[in-house]
Amino acid sequence: MPYVPHTEDEVREMLATIGVDSIDDLFAEIKEEMRPQSFDLPEGLSEMEVLAKLEGMADKNVTNRVSFLGAGFYDHYIPAAVDALTMRGEFYTAYTPYQPESSQGTLQAIFEYQTAVCRLLGMDCANASVYDGGTALYESLMMAVRKTKRRKIIVSEALNPIYRVMLGSYTSNLDLEFVTVPHKGGMTDIEGLKAAIDNETAALLVQNPNFFGSINDFTELFNACREAKAVSIISSYPVLQSLLKTPGSMGADIAVAEGQSLGLPLSFGGPYLGIMTCTKKMVRQMPGRIAGRTVDSEGRTGYVLTLQAREQHIRRQKATSNICSNQSLCALRALVHMCALGELGMKRAARLSIERAHICAERLTAIDGVEMLTQGPFGNEFAITLPVNAFDVIAKLTDRGFVPGFPLGKYYDDLENGLLVACTEKTSEEQIGIFAEMLKGALK
């Protein structure tokens, strides 16, 4: 969008309208010592010069590396229809649908998104989304705290450590007790989690597949939560969820996900999408917006916002969340992506991703000194141990155009040699073969 500055006449007209003589008068209430003394700004450039400068900076980005990096964010193929539809002006510039009479299209899109993610995760209700997967987990545990009036949170160490850092940041000033149950060689310790649940527990947080890529069925664990009147919360991977047992089938109370894998490019870390779903009994604790379908006085279908317990609408201390923005455009992309692929397309993408990961694991573990960290079923991501420090291997291979994965030692002190490797349907067998040969050479 081009920037067109105001003319001097327009500035004078605006100042006269609000009743001040100069721009300095706008800041008269600010004490002199509190005002900035100078601005370190470069000389102005023309539009052409600015564009050339920004394009030069963008050219420094390396975008042609082959990546096996996952850790919660994945390079899936995005159909061209996603950009073509979601970048239409009606969607791209739309704002909050506070007035349903003029926002029926936006409200229907949100309603359809909610319906789609509920079906994907096997849950009853969904909101219009939140910022990202980590924020969704935080909001979920706060739902549990409000519902149970308890303060103890049990967290699996196999939950994405990026999310666990976010939880620590959001709750640092809250009176909550976190109990982290260690992983077992990259596996979720289900028995350890079950043993940690007691009558003081507000919520249990797990992930499937877990951060190391391992797949679990948490049905019995969630039954134990239910018996203790605690809230079971699961973080899911939407693409694989088209094949795996759903959170609803396992008996989860709340299921959340990072929606980036549904039509959102990696884009230097955002914007992403926090998917939130829950059972009907938890819906009144749900933060943010929920779009509903109704009929008007003439029986015609209409869409509205309902169950809004945001701090913009009620007393702040009574609000379910004070993080009020959602990611409607990202949610729309997720909806269009799911509709473009359909059930068969979603399953095909998941199967291809899993198949490529198993081929990759077989090729890599055939190298001397490379072993699987985890035992048991895994999806499109798996953890291996190397005979050397993973950071060193990543540096070597990245310089040669391949990003081999995520270094587990970044968050797990005893896994300096651990490497988390991810594949998607975009990963070719040729790329896997080259990766295996490069890794073999880097370990010599």
Side-chain angles (χ1 to χ4, degrees):
M1 182 181 294
Y3 170 67
V4 182
H6 301 298
T7 65
E8 292 184 4
D9 288 341
E10 288 171 333
V11 171
R12 282 194 293 269
E13 183 180 352
M14 286 188 285
L15 291 173
T17 299
I18 61 178
V20 295
D21 296 327
S22 68
I23 291 178
D24 289 340
D25 290 343
L26 293 174
F27 304 97
E29 295 297 321
I30 302 175
K31 295 180 180 179
E32 189 70 33
E33 64 271 17
M34 298 180 68
R35 300 180 190 178
Q37 302 305 306
S38 64
F39 294 96
D40 183 17
L41 297 175
E43 292 296 321
L45 300 174
S46 68
E47 179 181 321
M48 181 174 64
E49 291 170 322
V50 169
L51 186 60
K53 184 177 180 65
L54 293 176
E55 287 176 342
M57 294 170 64
D59 286 342
K60 295 180 180 179
N61 295 321
V62 180
T63 59
N64 60 349
R65 289 193 175 113
V66 177
S67 178
F68 290 83
L69 185 63
F73 310 95
Y74 304 94
D75 185 22
H76 286 284
Y77 179 74
I78 302 173
V82 176
D83 280 341
L85 293 174
T86 60
M87 295 190 72
R88 288 179 58 93
E90 303 96 308
F91 290 126
Y92 201 65
T93 62
Y95 188 56
T96 302
Y98 285 131
Q99 296 175 278
E101 65 273 14
S102 59
S103 303
Q104 284 299 291
T106 299
L107 286 166
Q108 181 175 357
I110 293 174
F111 179 82
E112 301 291 356
Y113 158 80
Q114 293 170 182
T115 303
V117 295
C118 280
R119 289 175 176 173
L120 183 65
L121 301 179
M123 302 297 286
D124 299 331
C125 310
N127 67 7
S129 75
V130 292
Y131 279 127
D132 54 24
T135 305
L137 269 177
Y138 160 72
E139 296 287 10
S140 297
L141 75 85
M142 294 310 298
M143 287 174 65
V145 168
R146 291 192 298 271
K147 182 71 172 178
T148 64
K149 305 295 191 294
R150 300 172 181 177
R151 319 301 291 180
K152 181 179 177 181
I153 313 295
I154 299 172
V155 183
S156 168
E157 194 185 24
L159 179 71
N160 192 318
I162 300 171
Y163 295 166
R164 289 191 283 118
V165 170
M166 293 176 67
L167 294 179
S169 299
Y170 277 130
T171 62
S172 60
N173 293 319
L174 301 180
D175 180 25
L176 297 177
E177 175 193 358
F178 280 86
V179 176
T180 301
V181 177
H183 67 90
K184 282 189 172 181
M187 305 290 288
T188 302
D189 185 1
I190 294 180
E191 292 304 317
L193 290 166
K194 191 182 296 184
I197 299 171
D198 58 24
N199 292 331
E200 300 299 319
T201 302
L204 166 77
L205 276 63
V206 294
Q207 181 176 331
N208 189 49
N210 71 15
F211 184 68
F212 302 91
S214 295
I215 295 172
N216 286 106
D217 183 349
F218 293 117
T219 302
E220 291 187 13
L221 183 61
F222 292 165
N223 285 338
C225 269
R226 192 173 300 106
E227 291 175 3
K229 293 183 171 53
V231 176
S232 53
I233 302 171
I234 183 171
S235 176
S236 300
Y237 179 8
V239 172
L240 295 196
Q241 201 55 69
S242 62
L243 294 178
L244 301 180
K245 187 174 183 179
T246 66
S249 297
M250 294 184 196
D253 294 307
I254 304 173
V256 301
E258 170 53 64
Q260 176 274 323
S261 59
L262 300 176
L264 297 174
L266 292 171
S267 297
F268 297 91
Y272 287 160
L273 168 68
I275 296 172
M276 288 195 72
T277 65
C278 68
T279 58
K280 191 172 181 179
K281 70 178 182 180
M282 296 293 300
V283 70
R284 289 193 175 275
Q285 300 299 332
M286 184 80 86
R289 305 185 187 96
I290 299 175
R293 183 171 63 188
T294 185
V295 293
D296 65 11
S297 59
E298 298 180 10
R300 296 173 300 186
T301 297
Y303 299 88
V304 296
L305 290 178
T306 184
L307 292 179
Q308 296 184 85
R310 305 165 71 216
E311 58 93 8
Q312 292 173 327
H313 303 119
I314 62 176
R315 285 179 294 173
R316 184 179 180 89
Q317 64 271 25
K318 295 288 186 179
T320 53
S321 176
N322 294 317
I323 305 173
C324 288
S325 293
N326 73 316
Q327 302 289 74
S328 289
L329 185 61
C330 296
L332 178 67
R333 289 184 66 91
L335 173 63
V336 174
H337 182 86
M338 286 186 282
C339 291
L341 291 180
E343 180 182 355
L344 294 179
M346 289 279 289
K347 290 182 176 180
R348 183 172 184 270
R351 285 196 183 99
L352 282 172
S353 299
I354 293 171
E355 288 172 6
R356 301 288 161 78
H358 282 71
I359 292 170
C360 188
E362 185 177 343
R363 289 293 304 272
L364 297 185
T365 53
I367 301 170
D368 288 341
V370 179
E371 298 178 351
M372 290 291 293
L373 172 66
T374 56
Q375 304 300 319
F378 62 90
N380 72 316
E381 199 163 18
F382 59 94
I384 55 176
T385 56
L386 307 174
V388 297
N389 190 293
F391 286 92
D392 297 335
V393 172
I394 290 171
K396 288 180 182 179
L397 268 61
T398 301
D399 287 342
R400 298 178 61 187
F402 272 65
V403 182
F406 185 89
L408 293 173
K410 182 175 177 65
Y411 291 105
Y412 298 93
D413 293 337
D414 57 339
L415 293 176
E416 295 88 351
N417 292 5
L419 183 69
L420 186 64
V421 181
C423 296
T424 70
E425 73 278 16
K426 293 175 65 174
T427 309
S428 69
E429 292 191 42
E430 180 184 9
Q431 291 171 338
I432 292 170
I434 296 172
F435 174 28
E437 293 301 317
M438 292 178 66
L439 178 60
K440 185 177 180 179
L443 297 179
K444 289 183 178 177

